[in-house]
Amino acid sequence: MSRNRRVIMSIIAATAVALSTGTLAAAGVIPAAWHPPAGDPVPAAAADPATPDGTTPDGAPAPATSPAAGQRAAGPTGATAAPTPAAPALHAPNSVAYLRATYGVSEAEALRRLALQQSASAVAARLAARMPDEYAGIWLDQQAGGLLRVGATRPDRVTAALAGVAGATQVRAVPAARSLRSLQATARTLAADLTGHAGVQVAVDTPGNQVVVTAAPGADETALRAALARVGGAARLERRSLPATELKSCDPLDCLQAPVRGGIRLDVPRDDGTVGGCTTGYTLRSRKTGELFVLTAGHCVVAGRHTRIDDTWHQYLTVKKPVVFEHPDASLRALLGENYQNDDLRDYAIMPFPDAATAAFWTGPVVPTRTGWARNPLGLINTWCPGGGCGGRPIAVTGFTPVTNVVPGAVVCATGSAFTPAAGEPIVDSGAGVGYLPGTRCGTVLAISPGGLVTVKICARAGDSGGPLFTEADGRAIGILKYGDAGLPSCSNPDEKNHYVPVESILSRVNSRTDLQFELLVTETVPRPDPR
């Protein structure tokens, strides 16, 4: 890494800290003692020896000091709060590449936008608490210079709060007719009115200051019009220009070598002799038993052609290495896997390793490689990119982001293993289409449904289901892929939308149904690239 880039990254990291904890606190927007909300157990990052210029051996800025030992904060239902981790260096090559390619910005500008993104949830939480009837939401406007915009029915109050504050030039208050609280109430009303109508989605459009109801061809026109009429101008109807949504599952590409990481292939034999599958999402651990589980999409195994106890494999057509399977206890199996098409948040499968030998193979010791190393090999996401050349090292999973902190316009990344092989390749076709490459793609958050389903503008194909959605710079999990728009293998549709079930919702749901006390497995050290 060049000296200039080191300096740039250090400045940007300092700007992010100042924006989120210092300068905005002086204006009363963010509390002076604010720390990022701990949505789940996150151990403090291990200290790296810093070089005299303040960088770690790989050239990234040295991590900030973590909170005092034992400090804890309240987390969401189904999760255990833990000390806030040290702020990681902004190393996000996939996200930077996305911003540079999409908006034509420099690397320094892309890093600035990512730093600003990290401060957005703190600003949002404070304004929502202090101005609930005036605050209309927050979003990153990537089109207009990468500014953080705050909607408000009284924008003068937000502007006054930011007056004279360093960094305020990156935040703009804009007028809005409806508060965010009002829009969320309207979205819940519409979602209830339209329950059971196929091909209909409801979400809050924060920049548009409206609720948007998206309907696929064939949706009940009379019911749609009646529901929208009852909420007046607070909602609008949008028609899909594409065919009905499709599940992004089936038969993913062959997995990579151990250890198990988010974003790699799971092949699943079906009752009829065909082979389908999904992408690994995250690794979970039972706090009660210490047992490890792999999280993926429920429709991968809980479906019409999966009546037996499903098992999964790596490279089914070649080495055929077993990975995880459905729990053999029928009563527990029903609690650890659901597939409800009319309930977007109940589509998950939590699968254990079938025996000690298989678990030992996939969770065994790790030796340094060209992609990195870690004490906990499972809490990682593969982040190799289509065509290669945009990052390479695995991302350490440091925790999850509560869905209330997911900001429209934020840059997020998703990893999947969908693939259609060429003639003669020993890989099961996922139906992705020739030319679609597995790996990591980045895009932006578009909207959040009333229940919490996260809609993003990222290309994905059949075989990517269950794969992880995350923020690259801080390693925070967001969700797993459920379904999305059909599209071309070239990813040439600029308006393609895909939908992710939040990790937070899955943990809350399963922990309310079992006493296994699941938590997201996180890494204890951040993988570093091989200096060679």
Side-chain angles (χ1 to χ4, degrees):
M1 177 182 291
S2 69
R3 176 75 181 185
N4 286 342
R5 174 167 170 162
R6 293 180 188 178
V7 173
I8 288 171
M9 292 181 70
S10 298
I11 292 172
I12 290 172
T15 301
V17 172
L19 185 64
S20 63
T21 62
T23 55
L24 290 182
V29 178
I30 302 174
W34 176 84
H35 293 288
D40 48 299
V42 184
D48 277 321
T51 56
D53 66 354
T55 62
T56 53
D58 72 337
T65 304
S66 61
Q71 177 181 333
R72 303 184 71 81
T77 303
T80 299
T84 303
L90 278 177
H91 182 88
N94 302 282
S95 302
V96 168
Y98 165 77
L99 286 169
R100 296 192 69 181
T102 305
Y103 300 103
V105 299
S106 66
E107 180 179 6
E109 170 62 10
L111 288 166
R112 181 198 69 80
R113 294 186 183 199
L114 294 173
L116 181 63
Q117 174 177 315
Q118 291 184 318
S119 70
S121 62
V123 179
R126 194 63 172 177
L127 292 176
R130 293 197 170 189
M131 308 178 187
D133 295 319
E134 300 168 4
Y135 171 66
I138 194 168
W139 66 97
L140 279 156
D141 192 339
Q142 304 286 5
Q143 295 282 1
L147 298 174
L148 190 61
R149 297 193 183 273
V150 178
T153 59
R154 289 281 308 277
D156 55 310
R157 292 194 62 191
V158 173
T159 300
L162 297 174
V165 176
T169 55
Q170 300 182 70
V171 186
R172 299 285 174 81
V174 296
R178 307 168 188 88
S179 70
L180 181 60
R181 185 161 70 172
S182 171
L183 289 173
Q184 290 171 336
T186 298
R188 287 191 295 270
T189 297
L190 284 168
D193 284 351
L194 296 171
T195 297
H197 291 273
V200 175
Q201 297 168 349
V202 179
V204 173
D205 173 13
T206 304
N209 197 229
Q210 277 189 315
V211 174
V212 57
V213 177
T214 307
D220 188 330
E221 182 75 21
T222 301
L224 289 171
R225 295 295 179 187
L228 264 66
R230 285 191 286 273
V231 299
R236 71 180 187 274
L237 177 64
E238 290 186 356
R239 295 291 189 183
R240 292 186 185 279
S241 58
L242 298 174
T245 58
E246 64 178 28
L247 297 175
K248 296 300 174 71
S249 66
C250 195
D251 312 300
L253 178 63
D254 285 347
C255 296
L256 302 180
Q257 61 186 5
V260 172
R261 298 171 180 172
I264 62 177
R265 180 188 181 96
L266 288 178
D267 287 327
V268 187
R270 304 187 183 104
D271 297 349
D272 59 8
T274 61
V275 180
C278 279
T279 295
T280 57
Y282 302 96
T283 303
L284 305 181
R285 173 172 52 203
S286 167
R287 294 196 298 273
K288 180 179 180 181
T289 67
E291 187 178 9
L292 298 177
F293 296 75
V294 171
L295 171 64
T296 189
H299 66 259
C300 301
V301 294
V302 185
R305 289 191 284 177
H306 300 269
T307 58
R308 63 181 181 82
I309 296 177
D310 280 302
D311 48 3
T312 71
W313 308 78
H314 271 312
Q315 302 177 18
Y316 187 83
L317 296 180
T318 53
V319 296
K320 197 177 180 181
K321 188 70 177 177
V323 190
V324 289
F325 77 140
E326 288 185 286
H327 204 287
D329 184 329
S331 59
L332 188 58
R333 186 164 67 249
L335 299 179
L336 300 185
E338 298 183 275
N339 176 23
Y340 284 74
Q341 293 308 305
N342 291 328
D343 185 339
D344 286 328
L345 302 186
R346 292 166 65 181
D347 186 349
Y348 62 88
I350 298 173
M351 307 175 74
F353 294 96
D355 51 55
T358 303
F361 175 84
W362 290 113
T363 64
V366 178
V367 296
T369 69
R370 295 193 64 81
T371 56
W373 56 89
R375 295 178 195 156
N376 188 338
L378 285 167
L380 296 172
I381 300 170
N382 276 330
T383 55
W384 50 289
C385 301
C390 61
R393 79 176 187 181
I395 289 293
V397 179
T398 62
F400 68 77
T401 297
V403 71
T404 54
N405 290 350
V406 178
V407 178
V411 176
V412 292
C413 300
T415 301
S417 55
F419 188 69
T420 290
E425 282 188 279
I427 299 170
V428 180
D429 185 1
S430 78
V434 176
Y436 181 84
L437 297 176
T440 297
R441 290 174 170 82
C442 300
T444 51
V445 175
L446 295 177
I448 313 295
S449 76
L453 194 72
V454 181
T455 299
V456 299
K457 185 181 287 188
I458 287 179
C459 181
R461 292 290 171 270
D464 290 334
S465 274
L469 180 74
F470 56 96
T471 44
E472 185 184 18
D474 56 7
R476 304 288 287 185
I478 296 176
I480 59 171
L481 178 60
K482 176 181 174 65
Y483 64 87
D485 293 337
L488 300 174
S490 60
C491 294
S492 58
N493 173 22
D495 297 318
E496 180 181 340
K497 301 176 181 66
N498 285 286
H499 310 277
Y500 289 77
V501 181
V503 169
E504 176 190 27
S505 302
I506 294 169
L507 291 177
S508 178
R509 169 72 178 170
V510 74
N511 285 338
S512 71
R513 306 177 76 218
T514 74
D515 64 352
L516 290 175
Q517 305 168 45
F518 284 106
E519 63 185 359
L520 185 68
L521 193 65
V522 300
T523 49
E524 297 177 6
T525 60
V526 177
R528 301 290 184 188
D530 190 321
R532 294 174 295 174

